Amino acid sequence: MIAITSLLDKVYSDRVTELTELLEKKFGLKGVKMSPYPHLTLLTAEVPDIEELKEYLEGICLETPTFTIRTTGLGIFPGGAPVVYVPVLRTPRLNQFHGTIHRDIAEMSVEMSVYYNPNMWLPHISLALGDTTPDLLGPVLNFLNTYNFNWEISLDNLTIMRKSGDFYLKEDEFQFSRRELIT
């Protein structure tokens, strides 16, 4: 499975990195670092023809201008290893973009995660995952409660990430409104 993501702009990438480093220092949480690039995941899929996918991403990025997403507050996906995240507000622009790429990539995929279906997708930026426990949740939220999560983030790329060992690493990055491929 690969993930189609959008890496955060430098300001918010640095902010998320700072927060995850503080969570590691204060609570020992480092599971989120399995993906060393702060990002918004748009979908995950099993795509047999990766070259077809890359051509598609290059094409859609040529047609897509940079746009802004907004976040607010904190969220939790509950469970034995709860995920702590910053919710991204679903705007008409973000919904349209996500719906288009989901529909188009579904055509070339043999499998897609149901969690990224446009009717279920809850866009978010993860701060803690994988090694969080219910017992840590209260103290972690108490700590994060002192920060402002009303952010405006500029999205300007689509990035393919792939699992490599214990990490999800960038395979290719495509800039909006630009032709070149950044690797």
Side-chain angles (χ1 to χ4, degrees):
M1 290 279 256
I2 52 105
I4 305 300
T5 68
S6 189
L7 302 182
L8 304 187
D9 62 33
K10 178 155 178 37
V11 169
Y12 289 98
S13 181
D14 289 349
R15 189 167 295 173
V16 169
T17 298
E18 177 185 348
L19 286 168
T20 58
E21 286 174 359
L22 287 169
L23 289 172
E24 182 177 4
K25 267 187 210 167
K26 196 160 178 67
F27 302 102
L29 299 175
K30 56 185 174 188
V32 76
K33 291 183 176 185
M34 75 174 81
S35 173
Y37 323 101
H39 64 278
L40 170 66
T41 301
L42 297 159
L43 59 90
T44 60
E46 187 65 46
V47 180
D49 187 347
I50 199 74
E51 291 309 313
E52 177 187 20
L53 174 66
K54 289 178 182 181
E55 287 176 25
Y56 168 75
L57 294 176
E58 181 177 22
I60 197 159
C61 285
L62 282 172
E63 301 168 6
T64 304
T66 298
F67 64 97
T68 300
I69 59 170
R70 289 178 175 76
T71 68
T72 191
L74 289 168
I76 302 165
F77 294 130
V83 176
V84 178
Y85 63 88
V86 180
V88 174
L89 301 175
R90 288 188 66 162
T91 62
R93 175 70 183 104
L94 182 58
N95 285 338
Q96 180 273 329
F97 182 67
H98 176 259
T100 297
I101 66 168
H102 189 278
R103 179 195 67 226
D104 294 348
I105 293 173
E107 297 281 324
M108 60 185 88
S109 299
V110 294
E111 182 182 349
M112 293 183 74
S113 172
V114 68
Y115 297 114
Y116 299 97
N117 179 293
N119 294 326
M120 292 187 64
W121 184 51
L122 185 57
H124 65 279
I125 299 162
S126 297
L127 296 177
L129 64 88
D131 56 357
T132 317
T133 66
D135 290 340
L136 277 176
L137 202 51
V140 166
L141 291 176
N142 190 48
F143 171 73
L144 290 172
N145 189 50
T146 63
Y147 291 88
N148 179 340
F149 294 99
N150 296 320
W151 301 344
E152 288 192 7
I153 303 167
S154 179
L155 292 188
D156 66 358
N157 70 88
L158 287 175
T159 300
I160 300 172
M161 295 175 68
R162 185 184 298 271
K163 189 165 175 97
S164 177
D166 293 336
F167 298 95
Y168 283 88
L169 302 177
K170 284 192 295 190
E171 183 167 309
D172 285 312
E173 181 178 344
F174 303 86
Q175 292 294 309
F176 292 169
S177 301
R178 266 195 217 139
R179 196 176 251 317
E180 74 252 19
L181 171 66
I182 300 170
T183 55

